[in-house]
């Protein structure tokens, strides 16, 4: 329970209509897209100004109340599962695009701006904000920065962190800290923005975000290559990269996922194919033409049964609609879905695809694999029923086996979904104890009372 006096102070700060204590409201903020037990906070607050956000952070610290910031709650690692009896701060009222600067190609946004809203606003001005998580229609830019979110275009354009030019965030006392610049280059002081990207709400609370924009590519071409052998598809991925072609998008889908997507969205996918590659090249029209021809011939060389090049925007959209619906399509098949994002060096994609099949067989569980093959970031997706205890034990063992394989291949536990609660117990496997200790020292220096999203990342 929050003390009455403090609740009143919260009401004064954010307005009584933006303080939520009803059970039904609190339930809404008790979980996110990770498969974890929900935890009820004591209160949820919805500040509508930066000043109110800053004061809420200060009040939480002064009253030793754990605080979890929440954008859209779509993260897949438990980053917004609050602490019991803690405070959830929802950023969806801080949703203004404050500036789009065409001459210097940057945008300044509040943290609650929805990713796709910024992408559309800058596209209307011939500019491009490339990071495109599959959740972009609802995810927020604050959540994207805090998770260092990736997406389908990571191979060519990188991830959210590559676009963060500057930040204004509140430290644990509610003090505004400014880092970075609106210039292309900035070597002034510590790179605090680098520290804050991917910090999952554990080190500070973003209030304003400055994001780099680039010119919108003049042309693009989407292709769908169909393979009768899974191995051929994964080897084609490695061959395209080795040939120094950098598609904007290079996505993989196995047969299990193809069938689920076709049943869900009826876009005409070949349900008998062992695997598909969905590829898009973009840039100057002449370069697009040349890259598309090279991709087609590499797909044929490495055994594609057929390859279809989209002839217009409608066909292109249907390729990407198919890919974007993969998670929802798989989610319909079983009560529980666990989407992993262990990532390997790109040349190891064939080994990782083989390993997923072996793990699925070894543990007797269903795994659909799809994802950003071009940047080594596949999404093995486990379908199960969490209520089945016996199966759940096998699932947990399979997850650990996936992580172990990724590390053995020189990869990482998470390419884009973050550590949160879900992966924090595995972190040391990748980093070793010294890195954990160092991270704990950073955390305790910046948040001595451990109120900013405790239990996340380093536990
Ligand atoms: C269908 C689906 C598809 C997805 N596809 C992708 C994908 O392709 N690529 C990808 O990378 N991820 C993907 N995700 C995961 C998820 O959408 C991303 O992690 C996204 O960045 C989360 O944004 P959000 O606004 O929902 O943040 P939330 O889930 O609300 O929060 C995420 C983290 O950010 C912190 N946070 C939020 N706002 C702030 C702030 N203002 N200051 C400090 N910390 C803050 C939270 O405390 C939490 O730790 C997908 C998820 C779903 C459900």
């Amino acid at each position: 329970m929050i003390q009455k006096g403090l609740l009143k102070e919260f009401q004064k700060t954010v307005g009584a209509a933006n303080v939520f204590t009803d059970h039904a409201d609190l339930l809404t903020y008790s979980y996110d897209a990770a498969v974890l037990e929900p935890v009820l906070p004591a209160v949820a607050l919805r500040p509508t100004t930066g000043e109110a956000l800053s004061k809420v952070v200060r009040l939480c610290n002064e009253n030793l109340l754990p605080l979890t910031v929440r954008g859209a709650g779509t993260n897949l690692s438990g980053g917004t599962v609050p602490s019991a009896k803690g405070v959830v701060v929802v950023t969806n009222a801080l949703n203004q695009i404050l500036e789009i600067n065409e001459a210097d190609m940057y945008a300044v946004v509040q943290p609650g701006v929805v990713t796709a809203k910024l992408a559309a606003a800058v596209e209307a001005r011939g500019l491009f904000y490339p990071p495109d998580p599959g959740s972009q229609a609802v995810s927020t830019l604050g959540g994207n920065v805090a998770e260092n979110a990736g997406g389908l275009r990571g191979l060519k354009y990188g991830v959210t962190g590559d676009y963060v030019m500057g930040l204004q965030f509140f430290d644990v006392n509610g003090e505004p800290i400014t880092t970075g610049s609106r210039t292309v280059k900035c070597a002034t002081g510590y790179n605090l923005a680098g520290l804050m990207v991917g910090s999952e709400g554990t080190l500070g609370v973003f209030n304003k975000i400055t994001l780099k924009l680039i010119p919108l590519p003049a042309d693009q071409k989407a292709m769908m290559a169909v393979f009768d052998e899974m191995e051929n598809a994964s080897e084609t991925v490695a061959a395209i990269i080795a040939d120094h072609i950098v598609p904007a998008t290079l996505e993989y889908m196995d047969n299990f996922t193809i069938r689920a997507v076709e049943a869900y969205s009826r876009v005409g996918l070949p349900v008998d194919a062992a695997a598909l590659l969905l590829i898009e090249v973009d840039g100057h029209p002449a370069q697009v033409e040349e890259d598309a021809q090279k991709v087609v011939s590499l797909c044929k060389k490495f055994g594609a049964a057929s390859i279809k090049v989209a002839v217009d925007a409608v066909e292109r959209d249907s390729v990407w609609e198919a890919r974007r619906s993969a998670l929802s399509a798989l989610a319909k098949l079983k009560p529980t879905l666990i989407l992993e994002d262990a990532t390997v060096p790109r040349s190891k994609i064939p080994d990782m695809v083989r390993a997923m099949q072996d793990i699925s067989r070894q543990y007797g569980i269903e795994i659909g694999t799809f994802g950003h093959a071009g940047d080594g970031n596949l999404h093995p997706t486990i379908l199960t029923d969490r209520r089945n205890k016996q199966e759940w034990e096998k699932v947990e063992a399979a997850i650990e086996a996936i992580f172990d394989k990724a590390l053995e291949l020189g990869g990482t536990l998470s390419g884009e979904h973050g550590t949160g609660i879900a992966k924090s117990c595995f972190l040391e496997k990748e980093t070793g104890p010294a890195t954990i200790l160092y991270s704990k020292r950073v955390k305790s220096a910046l948040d001595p009372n451990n109120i900013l999203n405790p239990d996340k990342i380093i536990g």
Side-chain angles (χ1 to χ4, degrees):
M1 281 289 286
I2 303 268
Q3 283 173 348
K4 263 194 180 162
L6 181 57
L7 205 57
K8 276 207 170 139
E9 192 71 21
F10 281 147
Q11 285 167 345
K12 223 168 78 188
T13 307
V14 300
N18 291 313
V19 175
F20 306 98
T21 51
D22 283 356
H23 186 71
D25 289 326
L26 298 181
L27 263 184
T28 312
Y29 301 120
S30 67
Y31 65 97
D32 53 33
V35 179
L36 292 164
E37 284 301 320
V39 177
L40 277 191
V43 64
L45 307 173
R46 186 172 174 267
T48 56
T49 64
E51 291 72 30
L53 179 62
S54 149
K55 190 165 172 199
V56 163
V57 177
R58 177 167 64 75
L59 286 171
C60 286
N61 191 36
E62 285 171 358
N63 291 278
L64 301 180
L65 276 174
L67 176 158
T68 298
V69 194
R70 183 182 175 102
T74 65
N75 77 87
L76 290 151
S77 47
T80 44
V81 175
S83 301
K85 310 227 174 357
V87 177
V88 168
V89 174
V90 189
T91 62
N92 63 3
L94 300 165
N95 59 6
Q96 296 304 306
I97 298 175
L98 302 172
E99 182 185 357
I100 295 176
N101 190 312
E102 293 178 46
D104 289 327
M105 292 205 284
Y106 67 79
V108 184
V109 298
Q110 290 188 303
V113 170
V114 168
T115 316
K117 182 179 160 190
L118 176 70
V122 302
E123 196 173 321
R125 301 190 192 194
L127 291 168
F128 191 29
Y129 176 67
D132 62 340
S135 53
Q136 62 175 346
V138 288
S139 73
T140 65
L141 290 160
N144 293 170
V145 175
E147 295 287 353
N148 198 10
L152 276 63
R153 301 191 186 111
L155 168 62
K156 180 167 181 180
Y157 291 106
V159 296
T160 305
D162 298 314
Y163 293 83
V164 177
M165 295 172 76
L167 285 174
Q168 187 204 58
F169 63 90
F170 297 124
D171 74 2
V172 75
N173 301 307
E175 281 297 317
I177 310 292
T178 304
T179 176
S181 163
R182 294 171 183 197
T183 53
V184 174
K185 294 157 80 180
C186 172
T188 312
Y190 286 122
N191 180 3
L192 295 181
L195 179 66
M196 298 308 288
V197 169
S199 62
E200 301 184 16
T202 62
L203 300 178
V205 177
F206 313 144
N207 182 44
K208 288 181 191 162
I209 305 167
T210 305
L211 293 165
K212 179 171 83 176
L213 306 173
I214 60 175
L216 193 63
D219 195 14
Q220 60 277 109
K221 211 164 234 155
M223 290 155 269
M224 181 168 80
V226 179
F227 291 86
D228 295 333
E229 303 286 338
M230 226 153 126
E231 301 256 319
N232 291 349
S234 57
E235 272 156 22
T236 303
V237 171
I240 290 173
I241 304 296
D243 209 20
H244 299 176
I245 304 166
V246 188
T249 313
L250 176 42
E251 296 285 308
Y252 172 89
M253 236 188 237
D254 70 0
N255 175 266
F256 192 85
T257 313
I258 296 167
R259 282 186 286 119
V261 169
E262 186 52 24
Y264 180 79
S265 58
R266 307 256 172 239
V267 284
L269 296 186
V271 289
D272 295 329
L276 289 181
L277 290 182
L278 306 174
I279 309 156
E280 182 162 296
V281 290
D282 69 357
H284 185 278
Q287 187 69 50
V288 167
E289 203 46 53
E290 190 183 323
D291 284 351
Q293 279 176 19
K294 277 190 190 168
V295 167
V296 168
S297 65
L298 279 170
C299 288
K300 285 183 183 157
K301 183 173 166 194
F302 282 83
S306 67
I307 176 156
K308 188 173 177 205
V309 182
V311 292
D312 55 24
V314 178
E315 279 194 13
R316 175 179 173 241
D317 288 349
S318 87
V319 167
W320 298 121
E321 188 192 324
R323 164 59 186 88
R324 287 190 190 282
S325 66
L327 186 54
S328 315
L330 288 166
K332 284 200 83 167
L333 302 181
K334 283 268 178 96
T336 312
L337 171 146
I338 302 156
L339 180 78
E340 284 306 344
D341 71 321
T343 300
V344 294
R346 296 174 284 197
S347 61
K348 303 290 184 204
I349 280 285
D351 305 76
M352 195 61 179
V353 167
R354 263 192 302 274
M356 290 312 109
Q357 285 181 304
D358 294 346
I359 291 170
S360 167
R361 264 194 303 271
Q362 184 185 346
Y363 293 93
I365 53 171
E366 287 178 315
I367 305 182
T369 299
F370 66 97
H372 323 306
D375 55 27
N377 181 200
L378 288 176
H379 289 316
T381 304
I382 298 174
L383 299 170
T384 182
D385 182 346
R386 205 182 174 184
R387 294 162 301 186
N388 180 339
K389 271 198 166 176
Q390 252 181 340
E391 185 165 292
W392 188 247
E393 277 170 21
K394 287 195 251 166
V395 167
E396 289 187 320
I399 291 173
E400 189 156 5
I402 292 171
F403 291 155
D404 287 345
K405 189 68 199 180
L407 295 180
E408 184 194 314
L409 293 172
T412 179
L413 299 176
S414 172
E416 55 180 18
H417 295 163
T419 311
I421 300 173
K423 295 195 190 84
S424 91
C425 63
F426 299 107
L427 191 59
E428 195 171 324
K429 279 192 183 215
E430 178 169 341
T431 65
T435 306
I436 305 272
L437 195 63
Y438 190 82
S439 306
K440 284 188 172 168
R441 279 162 42 203
V442 171
K443 168 74 171 163
S444 69
L446 297 180
D447 179 19
N449 296 325
N450 194 25
I451 64 130
L452 294 174
N453 219 7
D455 307 326
K456 314 293 159 29
I457 306 182
I458 46 174

